[in-house]
Amino acid sequence: MNRLCDSMEPRVMDDDMLKLAVGEQGPQEEAGQLAKQEGILFKDVLSLQLDFQNILRIDNLWQFENLRKLQLDNNIIEKIEGLENLTHLVWLDLSFNNIETIEGLDTLVNLEDLSLFNNRISKIDSLDALVKLQVLSLGNNQIDNMMNIIYLRRFKCLRTLSLSGNPISEAEDYKMFICAYLPDLVYLDFRRIDDHTKELAEAKHQYSIDELKHQENLMQVRLEDEQARQEELEKHKTAFVEHLNGSFLFDSMYAEDSEGNKLSYLPGVSELLEAYKDKFVIICVNIFEYGLKQQEKRKIELDTFSECVHEAIQENQEQGKRKIAQFEEKHLSSLSAIREESELPNVEKKILECSADISELFNELMMLEMQLVEQLEETINMFERNIVDMVGLFIENVQSLMAQCRDLENHHHEKLLEISLSTLEKIVMGDLDEDLPDDLRALFVNKDTIVNAVGASHDIHLLKIDNREGELVTRINSWCTRLVDKIHKDEIMRNRKRVKEINQYIDHMQSELDNLEYGDILD
């Protein structure tokens, strides 16, 4: 074990240990002493040092949500864990422990400096989330495969790397390989890499590097294509018509239709099926294109509504600010007059006038807010009617198009049944010239068997169509309901917040006047 004091038992991080460490490492002057008395909030701690504590397991750090620097070196830690909430961490030292696997760092997206020096690590991986990594110390571990270096090419900010003391550092080509494959590295094993070494390394490994770059470029293109496809799919999902811009729905009808797939080998069915698919896909594409157009219309409607609401609120706020500015100008003048007034009756009269001005301002601000509430209520109701109508029309037209899909399926079913019964008759009469696959011929036992097979295929197809239609209708209705509910709730919260702001401001003005009044009475 690493630096384990024989006289100390292995420890788990608990609140007592953390409080002690925070107290010892915090400010020691008067402000620090006061903080100790009142208690230091873990969320306010930016740096924490827990070295040489015989810590076996990382735990109880979830409260240190703003921690920037964490020092856990020279313990007996075996597993990297418990760091999920430390998303602001920039510097992490886990050197001189017993860690075998790099893990548990997926949320540390701001980490720049990581030390895992002197552990038992044999593979460099699971660092993908550390996109800002600049310094990586992995010296004195058990890394023995030079291919680990290639993994580090993805870290574009990496400038300092330590790998001395690993088996790979004994390789003859160690330094040249690293310099060639990590060309942006500045320091290797605590020594600056000179330009001459970089040039030699690049020349020595040029062919391999060029091939690797080619593969990386191909991978990047694939990643970008996949990302573009995902973005396009999300756009289609937003329109509720994903996978309707092709044969997906049609193909899904036959994916679980064993009987239909068998029947497709009947004479004349392949041509029938091809014509059916072409017409079916055209309807699906029509639904898809119509869905995208309707989504754009809904977006325009929502954007227009949001803009109207924003303008109404802004205009109302400007009116409120003007009234407050006019009030404050008069109010300051009135307060000055009160302070200069020597006669108590006159003071009381002016204070009453000020109080009346405050009440008048309150009424004016509340009237403005009531006017805004009525204006927004009318705007919201109009938007709700429009969006509900748009969604209703969309559903109606989609259902009409889906009905055409069902009509095509019914027509295909009739034709398929007709061909199947005709084939059965030929088999019975011994007039069938074509050879049929064994599993298909097994269906032609009698009329009931073949009718049931064709019917089962038909039922699967109708169910797929019904399910896709039902899913679309349910999702867009849910979207519409959630959107309208959110708009109403947001307006309620806005109104409550505004009323609270008005009351707080008025209370402050009245309190200021009351304090002035009490002061003058005492004088």
Side-chain angles (χ1 to χ4, degrees):
M1 285 191 170
N2 284 326
R3 301 199 178 191
L4 171 61
C5 178
D6 294 335
S7 62
M8 291 178 64
E9 288 293 326
R11 302 173 66 190
V12 176
M13 295 161 62
D14 55 25
D15 275 356
D16 290 338
M17 178 193 291
L18 296 173
K19 287 176 182 176
L20 180 63
V22 169
E24 289 177 346
Q25 296 160 36
Q28 302 301 315
E29 68 278 4
E30 184 178 346
Q33 296 301 320
L34 183 61
K36 287 181 182 179
Q37 292 173 14
E38 296 179 352
I40 301 173
L41 296 176
F42 286 172
K43 71 180 184 66
D44 296 330
V45 176
L46 300 181
S47 178
L48 184 61
Q49 184 176 342
L50 293 165
D51 55 342
F52 295 99
Q53 297 285 333
N54 268 39
I55 294 170
L56 177 63
R57 180 184 172 192
I58 306 172
D59 204 356
N60 288 305
L61 289 176
W62 59 272
Q63 297 178 76
F64 292 83
E65 55 191 63
N66 292 306
L67 201 63
R68 301 290 192 277
K69 181 176 180 179
L70 177 59
Q71 195 167 335
L72 286 167
D73 60 286
N74 290 280
N75 285 291
I76 52 173
I77 297 167
E78 297 178 348
K79 182 180 176 67
I80 305 175
E81 59 187 339
L83 304 176
E84 297 81 10
N85 287 347
L86 310 187
T87 55
H88 296 288
L89 210 60
V90 174
W91 191 93
L92 175 61
D93 188 354
L94 284 163
S95 56
F96 293 96
N97 279 288
N98 298 320
I99 298 165
E100 296 183 359
T101 303
I102 300 175
E103 59 188 332
L105 303 173
D106 294 341
T107 61
L108 308 188
V109 294
N110 290 300
L111 201 64
E112 297 176 4
D113 191 317
L114 173 62
S115 179
L116 290 163
F117 188 84
N118 208 96
N119 277 280
R120 301 174 178 177
I121 296 165
S122 59
K123 184 180 181 183
I124 307 176
D125 63 356
S126 302
L127 296 170
D128 297 39
L130 279 53
V131 293
K132 297 182 181 180
L133 192 64
Q134 298 178 22
V135 179
L136 178 60
S137 177
L138 281 165
N140 283 16
N141 276 281
Q142 299 171 10
I143 301 164
D144 59 2
N145 190 335
M146 201 71 81
M147 291 300 104
N148 281 269
I149 304 304
I150 296 176
Y151 170 77
L152 295 177
R153 284 174 62 84
R154 69 191 66 196
F155 300 99
K156 304 305 180 184
C157 299
L158 188 64
R159 297 295 178 267
T160 301
L161 177 64
S162 168
L163 286 167
S164 61
N166 284 280
I168 60 170
S169 66
E170 302 299 323
E172 182 180 348
D173 200 33
Y174 166 70
K175 187 174 182 179
M176 286 292 178
F177 188 92
I178 292 177
C179 292
Y181 282 87
L182 302 178
D184 295 324
L185 209 60
V186 178
Y187 294 94
L188 174 61
D189 297 334
F190 312 107
R191 291 187 179 182
R192 188 177 183 87
I193 304 170
D194 60 81
D195 292 339
H196 180 63
T197 301
K198 287 185 177 183
E199 290 171 4
L200 290 176
E202 183 181 358
K204 183 176 182 179
H205 292 273
Q206 183 175 2
Y207 178 80
S208 299
I209 292 293
D210 288 345
E211 178 62 26
L212 181 59
K213 284 181 179 178
H214 176 66
Q215 295 300 324
E216 288 174 342
N217 289 336
L218 290 177
M219 179 63 73
Q220 184 62 30
V221 169
R222 283 196 291 268
L223 287 173
E224 290 172 359
D225 288 346
E226 178 59 27
Q227 184 177 354
R229 281 194 294 272
Q230 286 300 319
E231 289 174 357
E232 193 72 9
L233 179 59
E234 287 305 314
K235 178 182 174 183
H236 300 166
K237 285 182 177 179
T238 303
F240 310 101
V241 291
E242 71 276 9
H243 303 310
L244 288 174
N245 55 332
S247 63
F248 180 86
L249 179 57
F250 185 88
D251 295 340
S252 73
M253 287 164 27
Y254 281 88
E256 300 169 11
D257 180 15
S258 58
E259 307 292 28
N261 285 313
K262 294 174 186 176
L263 293 166
S264 66
Y265 289 98
L266 284 174
V269 171
S270 61
E271 295 83 357
L272 180 69
L273 197 57
E274 186 175 344
Y276 174 32
K277 181 176 182 177
D278 289 344
K279 293 176 183 177
F280 192 97
V281 170
I282 288 172
I283 296 173
C284 287
V285 171
N286 286 339
I287 295 173
F288 174 79
E289 292 175 349
Y290 174 67
L292 291 185
K293 289 177 183 177
Q294 289 302 302
Q295 165 59 16
E296 186 60 30
K297 288 183 179 179
R298 291 194 296 271
K299 183 179 182 300
I300 292 171
E301 182 71 22
L302 182 55
D303 290 345
T304 303
F305 164 75
S306 299
E307 187 177 342
C308 288
V309 169
H310 177 72
E311 288 178 358
I313 293 173
Q314 188 125 8
E315 183 181 345
N316 189 274
Q317 287 177 343
E318 291 300 323
Q319 291 181 42
K321 287 176 182 177
R322 286 196 293 270
K323 289 185 179 296
I324 289 173
Q326 292 168 2
F327 161 79
E328 287 184 345
E329 183 179 357
K330 181 181 178 183
H331 185 66
L332 288 172
S333 176
S334 299
L335 291 179
S336 296
I338 291 170
R339 292 189 182 98
E340 293 171 0
E341 184 61 59
S342 57
E343 298 294 330
L344 184 59
N346 292 337
V347 169
E348 291 176 343
K349 180 183 177 183
K350 284 183 168 57
I351 287 175
L352 286 174
E353 288 173 354
C354 273
S355 185
D357 288 343
I358 293 173
S359 296
E360 183 181 352
L361 175 66
F362 173 76
N363 291 333
E364 289 176 345
L365 292 177
M366 290 302 291
M367 180 62 70
L368 273 176
E369 177 58 21
M370 288 175 63
Q371 290 172 357
L372 179 61
V373 167
E374 290 176 0
Q375 183 182 356
L376 292 182
E377 184 179 3
E378 183 179 343
T379 304
I380 290 170
N381 288 338
M382 183 181 297
F383 170 77
E384 183 176 353
R385 286 194 297 272
N386 290 345
I387 203 72
V388 167
D389 287 346
M390 291 175 74
V391 167
L393 180 62
F394 174 63
I395 290 173
E396 183 180 333
N397 287 331
V398 166
Q399 288 177 330
S400 174
L401 289 167
M402 284 293 187
Q404 293 179 31
C405 288
R406 276 187 284 271
D407 289 342
L408 283 176
E409 168 56 31
N410 290 332
H411 175 73
H412 176 75
H413 168 66
E414 291 172 2
K415 290 293 184 182
L416 181 60
L417 183 59
E418 184 180 316
I419 291 173
S420 299
L421 292 176
S422 174
T423 301
L424 176 63
E425 186 177 338
K426 289 180 181 179
I427 290 174
V428 171
M429 300 295 293
D431 295 337
L432 186 67
D433 297 329
E434 296 85 351
D435 289 330
L436 300 180
D438 292 342
D439 56 350
L440 175 57
R441 185 174 286 275
L443 296 177
F444 290 87
V445 177
N446 52 48
K447 183 177 180 180
D448 287 343
T449 302
I450 194 63
V451 167
N452 288 338
V454 175
S457 174
H458 181 51
D459 290 343
I460 288 173
H461 298 177
L462 289 178
L463 183 62
K464 288 287 184 180
I465 296 169
D466 292 345
N467 286 346
R468 185 62 182 92
E469 178 186 325
E471 179 199 9
L472 185 151
V473 171
T474 300
R475 281 172 52 204
I476 193 168
N477 276 329
S478 297
W479 170 83
C480 185
T481 300
R482 287 196 305 272
L483 174 64
V484 171
D485 286 349
K486 184 179 185 302
I487 289 170
H488 282 291
K489 287 176 182 176
D490 287 349
E491 167 53 16
I492 291 171
M493 295 304 295
R494 184 210 62 78
N495 172 245
R496 288 177 180 172
K497 182 181 178 183
R498 180 57 178 162
V499 170
K500 184 178 178 181
E501 288 173 351
I502 293 171
N503 279 310
Q504 286 177 339
Y505 179 77
I506 295 299
D507 288 347
H508 173 71
M509 291 292 105
Q510 190 63 51
S511 175
E512 186 179 51
L513 184 63
D514 291 344
N515 290 336
L516 178 66
E517 180 182 359
Y518 296 146
D520 285 352
I521 290 172
L522 289 173
D523 289 340

